[in-house]
Amino acid sequence: MLLDEDLTDLCDDILAGLPRSDQRRRGREYVRGLLLARGRKSIRNIAAISTEPAAEQALHHFVSDSTWDWMPVRRALARHVTRLCGARTWVLQPTLIRKAGTHSVGVGRRYSPGLGQSLNAQHAVGLWAASTSVVTPVNWRLHLNEDWLSDEKRRRRAAIPDDLVAQSLGACTVEAYLELGAPAGELVVVDAREMDVEAVVRRLRAAGAPVLVRVPAGLRLVPAAGATAEPAGDLAATVRHQRRPVFGLTARPPVLAGTVAVRLPSTRSYDPLLLVELSAPGRGEPGQLWLTSRGDIGLADLVGRAALVRRVTDDLESTGDQVGLRDFTGRSYRGWHRHVTLASAAHTVLATHGRPEPALRRTS
């Protein structure tokens, strides 16, 4: 069937760099199992799709104990998605992955700003390739806190690399973009309200990445016509009477947009930024505040790109959960990375072609 052919084409493309034929075969088998297994995408359920003997043991070794490097696979996936869908935007998205117990790698008490409470969870950062038609993850980092990194026993059990050190959430998020080696020039979108915005923007700009960053109202910025830093919310309020309706690139109600030319206090004046406030018509309260280095691409385009953050969140809850992006429960650091790599490949199949057809199930 067509979907089976597409799965083969994708796996042949992204797994071509694996050194052994059995690794390439296991990789395709794992992605296929993620697409077809019912319920939680545990290795046992994934292996149940296979007709090979001892599939569960072989797949467990392939994911947790084998030697293959996930980064070349992720880079190949990013190239594949870009060719297939013409992705023009990279979305960086931190996410909490709820977990039961204390043994899953990186699990701990994590505060969720959206829920206003602490959860027992892993904290991961995904890099998503996005176009007008498709969003799909292509890289991941696990944000490990000091409790994990300072505990030698836990590090040893999870096989956490010796050179992995504690990072802020913002630094971890930026690294998810930098380590992929994504082509410079495409817009990077990130909700940075819980991060050091200046550090995030400086590092991305130094890497040649144009940015669209959601910022908190208290972030201090220097207006282009001034010399003193002021809160972003106050600056947006000064031009609220000048807001105008803007339609995004997809069919949706318009938003009101107002803009102020600004710069970061620590940044030289020749690198200007644009502060954009986006709010719903008829509401008097402040809207979302976004900071961008691409004021030249038009407000309609910026509105559409800003909306990709919400689209990624929704997609993780739907397509991502269908392929088990959040289902890995092992304590292996390498196992987690390999699982989310292959789950990202399965996600790409669903995002571009929909659900598997029945004819794809259990073939010999």
Side-chain angles (χ1 to χ4, degrees), residues 81 91 128-131 133-137 308 311-312 315 319 347-348 351:
V81 172
V91 180
W128 297 64
S131 69
S133 58
V134 170
V135 294
T136 192
L308 289 172
R311 186 173 170 192
V312 164
D315 195 74
T319 305
H347 186 286
T348 298

Side-chain angles (χ1 to χ4, degrees), residues 50-364:
S50 175
T51 58
E52 295 189 22
E56 183 176 349
Q57 180 180 354
L59 290 176
H60 183 275
H61 173 78
F62 171 72
V63 168
S64 296
D65 302 319
S66 188
T67 58
W68 61 277
D69 183 358
W70 53 83
M71 282 310 302
V73 178
R74 294 179 186 180
R75 293 185 181 111
L77 178 62
R79 292 192 295 270
H80 182 94
V81 172
T82 300
R83 288 196 303 270
L84 191 65
C85 307
R88 300 187 305 127
T89 308
W90 302 106
V91 180
L92 286 163
Q93 183 79 317
T95 185
L96 291 178
I97 303 173
R98 288 178 182 262
K99 293 293 177 182
T102 60
H103 296 299
S104 295
V105 60
V107 73
R109 300 302 294 177
R110 303 281 190 161
Y111 181 74
S112 169
L115 297 176
Q117 62 182 14
S118 292
L119 310 173
N120 196 61
Q122 295 166 316
H123 206 174
V125 178
L127 175 66
W128 297 64
S131 69
T132 55
S133 58
V134 170
V135 294
T136 192
V138 293
N139 194 32
W140 293 92
R141 285 183 71 85
L142 196 57
H143 185 228
L144 297 174
N145 60 23
E146 192 61 34
D147 289 343
W148 271 86
L149 294 176
S150 62
D151 189 327
E152 289 302 323
K153 187 176 181 180
R154 294 174 97 185
R155 287 189 73 131
R156 185 168 60 253
R157 284 180 175 175
I160 296 171
D162 293 337
D163 60 353
L164 196 65
V165 298
Q167 289 182 306
S168 67
L169 177 60
C172 182
T173 300
V174 172
E175 285 297 327
Y177 169 78
L178 296 180
E179 72 177 353
L180 188 72
E186 304 294 353
L187 193 68
V188 178
V189 180
V190 57
D191 184 342
R193 287 176 295 169
E194 304 299 322
M195 306 174 194
D196 181 341
V197 173
E198 288 200 51
V200 168
V201 172
R202 283 200 307 270
R203 289 196 67 196
L204 289 173
R205 297 293 291 131
V211 297
L212 177 61
V213 180
R214 190 171 178 185
V215 302
L219 176 70
R220 300 188 71 82
L221 299 167
V222 180
T228 303
E230 302 176 44
D234 292 351
L235 290 172
T238 64
V239 295
R240 199 159 289 155
H241 64 286
Q242 299 175 356
R243 292 179 301 177
R244 60 186 186 275
V246 176
F247 287 86
L249 299 181
T250 58
R252 63 183 64 205
V255 299
L256 294 178
T259 63
V260 184
V262 297
R263 64 178 176 85
L264 295 171
S266 60
T267 306
R268 296 178 183 178
S269 59
Y270 62 70
D271 188 22
L273 301 168
L274 191 68
L275 177 66
V276 183
E277 183 186 41
L278 303 177
S279 58
R283 296 183 182 176
E285 68 268 17
Q288 298 180 6
L289 295 175
W290 293 82
L291 195 63
T292 184
S293 60
R294 289 296 309 273
D296 59 310
I297 65 176
L299 284 175
D301 200 348
L302 290 176
V303 168
R305 310 262 194 133
L308 289 172
V309 171
R310 181 63 195 180
R311 186 173 170 192
V312 164
T313 300
D314 292 342
D315 195 74
L316 181 61
E317 296 287 340
S318 54
T319 305
D321 282 350
Q322 289 181 49
V323 298
L325 269 169
R326 301 188 283 195
D327 281 356
F328 187 78
T329 58
R331 64 178 58 184
S332 167
Y333 176 86
R334 292 176 296 183
W336 182 87
H337 273 283
R338 289 173 181 149
H339 172 85
V340 296
T341 299
L342 298 170
S344 296
H347 186 286
T348 298
V349 175
L350 283 191
T352 53
H353 299 289
R355 288 180 176 272
E357 300 176 37
L360 185 62
R361 294 186 178 273
R362 196 181 287 278
T363 59
S364 58

